[in-house]
Amino acid sequence: MKKGCFWFWTFSFLLLCGCAQPRILEEVGLITTYGLDIAKDGSILGTMVELMIDPTSPQDVVILETEAFSIRGIRNNANKKSSKRLSSGQLRVMIYGEDLLKQGNTGIAQTLTNDPSISDMTYLAMADGTARNILHVKAKHIPDIGIHLFRLIDQNTKEKMMPSATLQEVLHNHYSVGREPILPILKKEGKEGIGFSGVGLFKGSKLVGKISADQSFYLNLIIDKFKGGNKDIEIKSSKLKPRNRQLDKTAASIDSIVSSSDIKLINKEKVEFDINIKLNARLLEITSEIDLGNPENIKLIEKEITKSMTKEIEKLITYCQTKDSDIFGLGETYRSSVRHSKLTDEKWYKMFKEANVNVNLDFSVNRTGLNE
Amino acid sequence: MKVQYQPNPPYILSTFILFFIIHSIQVGIGIQGFQRLIFFEAKQDAWISVVLAGLFTHIVVMVMIKTLQLYGPTDIYGLHTEVYGKWIGKIVNSLYILYCLWIFLIVLINYIEVMQTWVFPNVPTWIFSISILLLVLYGVTGGLRVIVGACFFSIILSVWMLGFIGFPLRFADFHHLLPVMESSIISILKGTHKMTLTVIGFEILYVVYPFLKEREKVTKFAHLGIAGTNLLYLIVILISITYFSPGQLENTIWPTLSLFKIVKLPFIERTEYVAVSYWLLIILPNLMLYLWAAVRGVRRTFEKQRKGLIWIFSFAIFIGSLFLNSRSKINQFNDLFDSMAFYITFCYPFILFILALIKKKMTSLKEK
């Protein structure tokens, strides 16, 4: 009896654990997307996409807008406007307005990791213009803007069209010496479309430059590995006659790209790097009257493509050097190959500007599809 | 009190279980956040510190086993009485009992803190504290065999967590490990010192020893257990250094748990919540073993079967856990413990071994 009594009290006590705050799905407003901009008075203007789980409501998504001085403040203020308690456990995408990022030193991404309810795999992106504009896009084919943006980024990141910028990766690059973070740029296209338009380059946490979506392919070539992917390459060469007489250039479309890259420091004193990129692909289309059955011609095409890619990559690197934004992680390579370098960000910015970078690209065509 | 202790046959354990006892008591609260502390000292060479700490542990355990073998089946309480005599022995034993309770409190408050930060920010400490204590009491009143069973299952049931290594490996950047040996030897050793709180636990061997069946196999399984822990720590530190960038690691309080943040499974989106809650299973055997060691110490030293003793201990720990409820207090308490524990677990065994050796020589001389 005594023992039974003891266990009775013990287990009834354990029921007290139910005192933890319950989170019933129907009573919670899930925030799937945040958009952050600068408000007129300098505070943060937050736009949130709230997903409501309510079978009776005709609309699943509510867009809330508030101003506050902190990110948490935005959510707390938005709570006042919402019939359901907002929670950010399902946050998938964060979009920053351009002006906010130009300010720099906002520390926004850092505060996000303090909150255990926000996943490190949240995608970060930058808006061309304001984030508010993008989240307010209304179109028939987009019933839920939050999920739409998430799928758009997710799909393109996995296909390597966009550089991957999850919270973990951005913070990782932000906190490492000799590597700067990047964010994909989303742009409102027309009235109803949203598209990937480029990549924002950072120095510390300040936006310093942009590259186009086309160049982001070359960026990915250096910092990532391809296993499948496709790309149109423009070739300007006298040896290839374009089919389209109006244009003076030929386009080659390659896919099933397999690439690997390797950065090496070859000179410590006069900082000099070798970037070796190996690239295999299938040549599917070329807008030129050329006989692909001839191995000589394939060699020619390989050479021309290599030339134009190398040129593009060199252009990209020079651009980044003028912007002080080492997005390739050259500094990281320098730090890890030079003993007692005691590299700091300030030191690296100076060295990066003067660094010599040689690009060695090795491109080869695997096959040309069904026809020769 | 008798120096030697021979438990009744039903209480004797197979020796291989020592592997599980040592491994499960070593892995506990420390593994959640040890990377950061070591990284502060040794930077990218932190993994060398971890390896050194592991080697040092092997040496200490070797000495511990040598000491225990001097007097046949005995435990640390018997050894103390033998070495220091009746009265001083009792005082030293009491200190050792306090030490066990202290670790218990450390593990408990640290776990509660993790729970409150990650999953339940609004649940008060006392609910966690009482619930966990009741579970521990349930195990400890069941006796050593139940506790050892808990050790066994805590390891078997948490092996799946290792399977998530692949997720952070995807983001791993092995450049972070280079250049090797950039930090000075001093800072690497400092890092090793910081490992104390993470690797301690193996001293439970001092108390469990008489319960093991085949004592000649103790060396083998004790070292296997420690080697298992060391390997695990090495893997965890290597992944943490490559996954996090230096600044990120220095800013993360529980890097191991943060590693779980990126694990995304088709049926569960946020694995770290599961991991944090599941950690109870990992720390439970630690708590049980320490409480058991403390109660056992009282029984051996004062030779009294105090029934309510276990309740008194638990109550004292409960009260203690109520006061230690903020990050800064817990940090201070951990640091204080850290500096003490280093001497108790790593230095004291050598002293005890020498004292026991001298005593043994003296008695054999007297007999002649």
Side-chain angles (χ1 to χ4, degrees), chain A residues 72-326:
Chain A
R72 290 293 287 201
I74 291 170
R75 210 185 81 186
N76 298 341
N77 285 349
N79 232 339
K80 293 173 196 157
K81 293 186 187 175
S82 170
S83 60
K84 295 180 172 184
R85 196 157 52 84
L86 297 175
S87 79
S88 40
Q90 281 291 322
L91 184 69
R92 303 297 178 92
V93 179
M94 287 281 294
I95 300 180
Y96 300 98
E98 205 179 327
D99 291 332
L100 187 69
L101 291 175
K102 269 187 189 153
Q103 248 187 4
N105 288 329
T106 38
I108 285 170
Q110 285 93 307
T111 50
L112 285 179
T113 45
N114 258 344
D115 187 346
S117 71
I118 289 174
S119 163
D120 275 358
M121 294 302 279
T122 308
Y123 285 116
L124 305 187
M126 179 190 138
D128 193 338
T130 59
R132 186 177 171 276
N133 263 342
I134 287 192
L135 291 178
H136 274 286
V137 166
K138 281 203 177 93
K140 264 188 191 152
H141 67 281
I142 307 173
D144 177 348
I145 181 78
I147 297 299
H148 177 79
L149 284 175
F150 169 67
R151 295 227 172 107
L152 181 111
I153 297 176
D154 195 45
Q155 182 260 114
N156 278 304
T157 307
K158 280 181 182 151
E159 283 286 310
K160 310 268 174 184
M161 299 297 276
M162 274 188 196
S164 179
T166 54
L167 185 55
Q168 149 68 14
E169 282 159 298
V170 170
L171 282 179
H172 179 272
N173 295 344
H174 175 73
Y175 277 124
S176 45
V177 174
R179 179 166 231 150
E180 303 299 329
I182 41 177
L183 285 184
I185 303 173
L186 296 176
K187 191 177 181 184
K188 191 175 165 188
E189 278 165 8
K191 257 193 167 172
E192 304 197 326
I194 300 164
F196 166 55
S197 76
V199 177
L201 312 181
F202 288 79
K203 177 184 178 180
S205 56
K206 190 172 184 241
L207 180 75
V208 288
K210 285 186 204 174
I211 57 173
S212 66
D214 185 55
Q215 280 175 308
S216 105
F217 167 80
Y218 298 104
L219 172 61
N220 259 346
L221 215 52
I222 300 175
I223 60 173
D224 209 343
K225 274 182 185 148
F226 275 94
K227 267 186 203 154
N230 47 57
K231 173 75 185 154
D232 266 15
I233 293 151
E234 290 173 7
I235 306 168
K236 274 184 197 167
S237 165
S238 53
K239 286 174 194 159
L240 294 170
K241 282 187 190 113
R243 248 180 228 156
N244 187 345
R245 295 292 149 97
Q246 278 173 309
L247 297 168
D248 63 334
K249 56 191 171 189
T250 320
S253 185
I254 55 173
D255 80 340
S256 309
I257 301 169
V258 177
S259 84
S260 63
S261 72
D262 177 33
I263 302 176
K264 267 202 191 109
L265 179 74
I266 52 169
N267 193 340
K268 279 183 203 172
E269 276 74 41
K270 264 180 73 189
V271 184
E272 192 173 353
F273 293 94
D274 259 356
I275 299 183
N276 303 312
I277 303 167
K278 257 198 157 157
L279 186 67
N280 292 322
R282 186 167 69 163
L283 179 70
L284 266 195
E285 192 184 337
I286 183 156
T287 60
S288 164
E289 293 153 1
I290 191 166
D291 176 21
L292 291 177
N294 188 350
E296 289 284 304
N297 285 345
I298 295 283
K299 277 225 175 90
L300 176 75
I301 291 169
E302 279 178 357
K303 222 177 108 193
E304 292 299 332
I305 290 182
T306 307
K307 223 161 87 192
S308 67
M309 275 187 164
T310 312
K311 222 167 111 192
E312 284 291 329
I313 292 174
E314 278 166 353
K315 223 166 82 189
L316 174 66
I317 293 171
T318 326
Y319 177 74
C320 292
Q321 279 177 324
T322 58
K323 295 288 177 194
D324 271 359
S325 181
D326 180 10

Side-chain angles (χ1 to χ4, degrees), chain B residues 266-284:
Chain B
F267 53 92
I268 186 158
E269 191 119 329
R270 305 289 302 282
T271 321
E272 78 266 22
Y273 282 87
V274 181
V276 169
S277 317
Y278 204 87
W279 223 270
L280 180 61
L281 201 68
I282 296 176
I283 63 151
L284 209 53

